[in-house]
Amino acid sequence: SQQGEEDPQALSIQEGENATMNCSYKTSINNLQWYRQNSGRGLVHLILIRSNEREKHSGRLRVTLDTSKKSSSLLITASRAADTASYFCATDGGNKLVFGAGTILRVKS
Amino acid sequence: DVKVTQSSRYLVKRTGEKVFLECVQDMDHENMFWYRQDPGLGLRLIYFSYDVKMKEKGDIPEGYSVSREKKERFSLILESASTNQTSMYLCASSTRQRGGSYNEQFFGPGTRLTVL
């Protein structure tokens, strides 16, 4: 399976700190995407990084992709209480997106 | 703004009932998807469709069927609901790039289905 696996499963930090989540996968991909889900709601797309890209930024988000290690990381800088959510990586191997089980991030104020 | 709407936020049904979950998107997306989400398992793909009247099985299609008669609408059908189908159901839509890779998916708010 090419399923992405996030690490850690849960993360608790203080407001203002940085949060880093990692995603590993098993097969070659076209792109890798990160999504956020607030409690009990639908997912919201955060960022897409293509297989030929190594790093991408969007506001306080920084995503890296290492295709040789089949891994990606999502860094949220200067976290806020509103960043409390579940974060999922999704890998596009060509015929569908495959989502991991997610990292639950809690930002304490 | 892309909008994906689902017919119900919460639904309670009895074992054996036929259940229809409807999803509508307003951005003319070719691709539509149905997922179920269970704690610790992430999102699992049930069915997807890349065109009107086209459907493809995902990872867990057993016990489900789908219908896509119009481009904007994708329905998930539980032919005979069972308690193990109690879950959060999420619909999504997206475009697809030339060459086949997927662009971002836009999700609906989800339907929390309880089967008693």
Side-chain angles (χ1 to χ4, degrees):
Chain A
S1 164
Q2 67 182 68
Q3 183 181 25
E5 297 181 1
E6 289 94 341
D7 169 58
Q9 290 184 333
L11 183 59
S12 183
I13 59 174
Q14 291 293 137
E15 205 166 26
E17 293 180 340
N18 295 343
T20 299
M21 288 158 266
N22 302 295
C23 172
S24 60
Y25 58 93
K26 296 177 182 175
T27 63
S28 62
I29 59 172
N30 293 324
N31 66 59
L32 185 145
Q33 303 179 27
W34 285 92
Y35 289 79
R36 183 188 72 228
Q37 183 180 36
N38 291 97
S39 178
R41 310 294 294 186
L43 278 70
V44 174
H45 181 264
L46 295 176
I47 199 163
L48 180 155
I49 186 164
R50 302 186 199 290
S51 61
N52 61 354
E53 296 175 312
R54 291 297 165 257
E55 188 170 314
K56 206 160 182 181
H57 296 255
S58 176
R60 293 184 297 113
L61 306 181
R62 173 179 167 250
V63 169
T64 61
L65 178 64
D66 186 335
T67 53
S68 66
K69 294 181 179 178
K70 292 187 170 57
S71 68
S72 174
S73 67
L74 170 67
L75 168 67
I76 304 173
T77 60
S79 63
R80 305 167 182 168
D83 294 328
T84 294
S86 294
Y87 292 82
F88 297 87
C89 70
T91 51
D92 175 5
N95 63 341
K96 59 185 178 182
L97 278 189
V98 179
F99 288 80
T103 292
I104 299 170
L105 172 65
R106 181 183 170 212
V107 181
K108 295 176 283 187
S109 55
Chain B
D1 254 8
V2 176
K3 197 168 182 184
V4 179
T5 57
Q6 295 184 228
S7 49
S8 307
R9 286 283 286 131
Y10 299 94
L11 207 53
V12 179
K13 295 292 182 181
R14 298 220 171 264
T15 302
E17 281 192 80
K18 191 168 187 176
V19 182
F20 293 87
L21 302 181
E22 302 246 305
C23 175
V24 178
Q25 51 96 2
D26 65 359
M27 281 302 290
D28 203 36
H29 285 171
E30 303 91 350
N31 304 295
M32 296 188 75
F33 310 84
W34 275 107
Y35 296 91
R36 65 175 282 176
Q37 183 179 24
D38 301 287
L41 296 178
L43 275 71
R44 292 181 291 167
L45 182 63
I46 304 171
Y47 268 97
F48 64 103
S49 168
Y50 53 86
D51 202 351
V52 176
K53 296 193 187 296
M54 305 302 289
K55 60 184 178 184
E56 294 283 344
K57 292 181 180 179
D59 298 317
I60 50 164
E62 297 79 18
Y64 303 94
S65 62
V66 290
S67 171
R68 193 164 181 204
E69 296 298 317
K70 293 184 178 181
K71 192 174 185 180
E72 68 270 19
R73 189 180 296 269
F74 192 35
S75 302
L76 180 69
I77 303 150
L78 286 66
E79 296 289 343
S80 177
S82 63
T83 55
N84 63 13
Q85 293 178 310
T86 291
S87 187
M88 168 74 98
Y89 289 87
L90 293 164
C91 174
S93 71
S94 80
T95 57
R96 195 164 185 178
Q97 297 176 25
R98 196 176 300 174
S101 59
Y102 283 103
N103 291 321
E104 62 180 293
Q105 292 192 4
F106 294 85
F107 282 82
T111 295
R112 191 165 292 282
L113 172 67
T114 302
V115 182
L116 302 175

